[in-house]
Amino acid sequence: MSSRTVLIGYNVRGRRVVAALRESGCTTGFTVVDSDPRRAEQAVLEGVHAVVGPCWRLRTLWLAGAHTADHIVVAVQDDDMAQRIISAVRSINDGATIITIAGGSEPQPMVKYLGADHIVNVSQADEWAPDAERPHDRGHAFADLEWTVAERAVTHDEIGCSPLDCRHQVVAVVRRGQRLWAEDPAVAVLRGEDRLLVVTPGPPRT
């Protein structure tokens, strides 16, 4: 039985992944997801099935088949956005192997917490397809940041709102002792008794 792979992000990083898949003999069974129609069109011109839409939206991921994929590679250039995508992917697919390409070592504890199985540094990705174009992305812009998952109460102005509309990136909602991913439709809107797991910049407070 052949495996199915969904690649999220058809930038330079993503194209290197496709090149590596083709070098290993995988020419079918993978789908590209990108929010930029031009990059998605480029993927189609290069013979790759593509879906256009916000990469962190559940509807986009479902259209791409991420809920049934065996392997999901997150290759977006923004490490912060990668964390949000990993959270969304894991909420609809518990069994997939999630691989993310990170711009530095700082976000690695975070993406593992969110459900990534393997983390590949950009420099390692160069080894997958050494003849491909080298990435000129802004992953290094996050090298000086530390990210912390903190738990806090829902504020008064957040009650009745979607967790995705909060001013801080909400990873999950703890409701009656159960952790629900922020993208989970079961969350709907926030309640006063909910607790939030949020991503905040900076080291953990002591």
Side-chain angles (χ1 to χ4, degrees):
M1 182 173 63
S2 60
S3 63
R4 295 186 60 259
T5 300
V6 173
L7 167 66
I8 301 174
Y10 201 63
N11 46 49
V12 174
R13 294 184 188 183
R15 292 197 296 274
R16 296 181 73 81
V17 173
V18 170
L21 289 170
R22 283 177 166 160
E23 275 194 2
S24 65
C26 178
T27 56
T28 60
F30 61 90
T31 300
V32 161
V33 182
D34 204 294
S35 58
D36 188 333
R38 293 169 298 180
R39 289 200 293 257
E41 182 181 4
Q42 183 63 35
V44 172
L45 291 174
E46 294 173 5
V48 182
H49 177 64
V51 172
V52 182
C55 298
W56 53 271
R57 289 280 188 190
L58 290 180
R59 182 176 183 277
T60 305
L61 295 171
W62 272 80
L63 287 174
H67 58 298
T68 58
D70 301 291
H71 306 280
I72 298 170
V73 182
V74 180
V76 297
Q77 293 174 311
D78 186 329
D79 288 336
D80 187 24
M81 179 56 67
Q83 294 168 17
R84 191 170 189 179
I85 293 169
I86 291 166
S87 174
V89 168
R90 190 52 84 196
S91 74
I92 61 172
N93 192 332
D94 286 333
T97 298
I98 299 178
I99 304 166
T100 185
I101 303 176
S105 61
E106 286 76 9
Q108 293 190 12
M110 175 65 65
V111 296
K112 286 183 178 179
Y113 176 86
L114 295 175
D117 299 290
H118 303 288
I119 303 169
V120 179
N121 192 274
V122 170
S123 60
Q124 292 176 289
D126 289 343
E127 300 172 5
W128 291 1
D131 296 330
E133 177 187 359
R134 289 187 175 274
H136 298 286
D137 58 40
R138 51 195 187 90
H140 64 277
F142 296 87
D144 296 331
L145 294 180
E146 294 182 64
W147 296 92
T148 301
V149 173
E151 182 175 329
R152 67 169 175 83
V154 175
T155 62
H156 180 73
D157 61 332
E158 291 172 337
I159 296 174
C161 297
S162 165
L164 301 179
D165 294 333
C166 294
R167 59 182 177 274
H168 294 112
Q169 181 181 338
V170 176
V171 175
V173 177
V174 180
R175 179 172 293 170
R176 297 179 179 175
Q178 181 183 8
R179 186 181 67 180
L180 302 170
W181 296 113
E183 290 278 354
D184 192 330
V187 174
V189 296
L190 295 174
R191 305 172 185 175
E193 66 272 18
D194 289 339
R195 301 284 297 179
L196 303 181
L197 295 179
V198 299
V199 176
T200 59
R205 296 181 180 179
T206 57

